[in-house]
Structures are given as C-alpha cells and as structure tokens.
Amino acid sequence: WGAIIVVLAFFAPRVEFSDRIQDLRSSQNRGVQVQDRLAREVGQAFDFMMFTVEDPTLDGVLDRTAAATKKLDRLVSRGELASYQAITTILPPASQQRATIARLDKARQNAFDTARIERTFRAALVENGFRTDSYDSYLPLFEESLTPRTTIALDSIENRDVRKLIGRYVKKTDEGYMSVIYLYAPGGYWGRSIPPALDEMGEAGDGAILTGVNVMSGALRTITRNDALRATLLSFAIVLLLMLISFKGSARLTLLAF
C-alpha cells in the first residue's frame, strides 16, 4: 500500500481538468456541434479574454486603447491571437481622426474628389445596367463621410443603437473611463497557457488588466494546489502527533503504526 500511495502521489499533480464549460455538455449536443463548426469556419469562437485600460479622460482612454491595439496587431500577425474587438474599431482616438481628416483634405482635388467619384460611379451604373436613381439618397451621405469637418466624440453620438454598441467597450467609472478589448484565441479556445507577450501586457500595470475564465481558473488552481498541500502536510503532522501521544512518546511504535 505504501508503494501505491507514493505512485499515486507522484501522478496526482499531473491530473488535469478541462476549463471549457462546453465540455460539461455531450459532444453529440446539436448546439455544441454548431458552435464548434462556427469556430472552425470563422476561425474564432465565443470564448474570449478581456484586456482593460483606464484613464481619467475619454481621449486618454482612447489613446491608451489605440496603443494597446498596436501591440495586439503584432500578436495577430504572429498567429498568437486570432482577432480582437475594441472601441477604436468604431471610434478612433481624436489624434487618428485628425490625421485622417488632414489626409482627406490634402487629396480633396484628386483621390478624394467627391464630384469625380460620383461621376465615375454613375457612369459605371449605366454601363452595367443599374438604375442611377437608386443611389440618390446614398451618395450625399458618401460625400459627407469624405468631407468631415471635425472629429467625432463619444458624447456627440446620439443614435441609441450605436451608443449601446459603444457601451460594450467603454464604461464611465468613478475615476474616469474604462475601455475593454475582447481577445479571441486561435482555434477558438483559450487553453490554460496565455501567450507570453499577452501576459506581459497584463503584468505591465498602469491600470491595465488582463482577465478571463482561464486567468481566473489558473489562479484558483494555484490557490487550490497550495491549500491542498498545506492541508495534507498539516493532517500528516496532526495524525503523527496524536499517534505519538497514544504510544506515550515511543517514536519507534509511532513510525511502525504510521
């Protein structure tokens, strides 16, 4: 029995469990099969991690989000990250918006000449047999999008649906603003290990936090392992002490019985 206990104790730390909630359901479940197929087709699933940054001002949190997404772009290019979703995809920081406006203004008479673009577009419609009046309501909006006069701020967005969408990425806090970036893993599932570069971003501090089910489960595993080790050693010590007392201090009898 002693040998069996030693062998089991050696292999016990190597026992692993799945962190996926989906694994609690049968692999023959239709919903699970659809999710797995969707993950294979689009290259990402519904599992995600979250990277958050904070700043006292909205412009500041957008700038910090943009800086973080530049690092994430490198992870995507290396295949360590499938994709991400951030507020900067919808609402770029003011500095980037100003740079875009400057570029549009510079090429107003050539590449971004709206009158020339409309003439070319309408000619192509006629050439390919489309009705030109079908786009009469769209082209003024297109021209407006190419001729912005000022940057767009979060407070200037009045559309309720857009504000709800933005609310998924930016939250007002007591200290300022928090931006959430959703991170999707290659293959659709975050394993137990986190890409080192992503882990470094989370450990950088300065209000940046990396979180997710795998991060939490990793912390819980560490706590559980440490607590189990302490409880085991303490239990052995208490039993050994009680047996030593029962045998009236005879170490030889205690060890034999133990």
Side-chain angles (χ1 to χ4, degrees), residues 50-242:
M50 294 181 289
F51 184 78
T52 67
V53 294
E54 296 185 59
D55 197 86
T57 66
L58 180 59
D59 287 340
V61 83
L62 291 177
D63 288 337
R64 295 197 61 191
T65 302
T69 56
K70 289 181 180 179
K71 298 179 181 178
L72 295 175
D73 285 335
R74 291 195 290 269
L75 296 183
V76 173
S77 65
R78 296 202 300 259
E80 298 180 34
L81 187 67
S83 63
Y84 63 84
Q85 296 177 358
I87 182 61
T88 51
T89 307
I90 306 170
L91 183 64
S95 57
Q96 184 176 339
Q97 293 186 50
R98 285 192 290 269
T100 301
I101 292 174
R103 182 178 179 185
L104 290 172
D105 288 340
K106 185 177 181 180
R108 188 76 64 203
Q109 302 304 320
N110 41 69
F112 298 117
D113 183 352
T114 56
R116 178 191 59 80
I117 294 174
E118 182 174 351
R119 287 195 305 271
T120 304
F121 182 69
R122 289 188 180 279
L125 289 176
V126 173
E127 182 180 347
N128 290 277
F130 288 91
R131 292 175 50 189
T132 58
D133 59 348
S134 299
Y135 296 88
D136 287 346
S137 60
Y138 163 75
L139 288 173
L141 297 176
F142 177 75
E143 180 179 357
E144 184 179 346
S145 68
L146 288 180
T147 56
R149 294 290 178 262
T150 184
T151 59
I152 301 175
L154 182 62
D155 296 337
S156 66
I157 298 176
E158 299 179 355
N159 186 284
R160 291 182 59 187
D161 293 331
V162 176
R163 291 189 68 86
K164 287 180 180 179
L165 177 62
I166 290 176
R168 184 172 185 261
Y169 302 101
V170 176
K171 295 290 184 182
K172 184 76 171 65
T173 65
D174 295 337
E175 293 77 20
Y177 292 87
M178 172 186 289
S179 172
V180 181
I181 305 175
Y182 297 86
L183 312 173
Y184 296 90
Y189 168 61
W190 284 109
R192 294 193 171 197
S193 60
I194 303 172
L198 196 58
D199 196 27
E200 289 177 6
M201 289 179 61
E203 295 292 336
D206 196 21
I209 300 174
L210 178 67
T211 186
V213 174
N214 53 339
V215 176
M216 295 177 61
S217 64
L220 289 175
R221 283 195 303 271
T222 301
I223 293 173
T224 302
R225 186 185 301 112
N226 294 337
D227 287 349
L229 179 60
R230 295 189 190 98
T232 301
L233 295 177
L234 183 60
S235 299
F236 271 105
I238 292 175
V239 171
L240 187 63
L241 179 61
L242 292 176

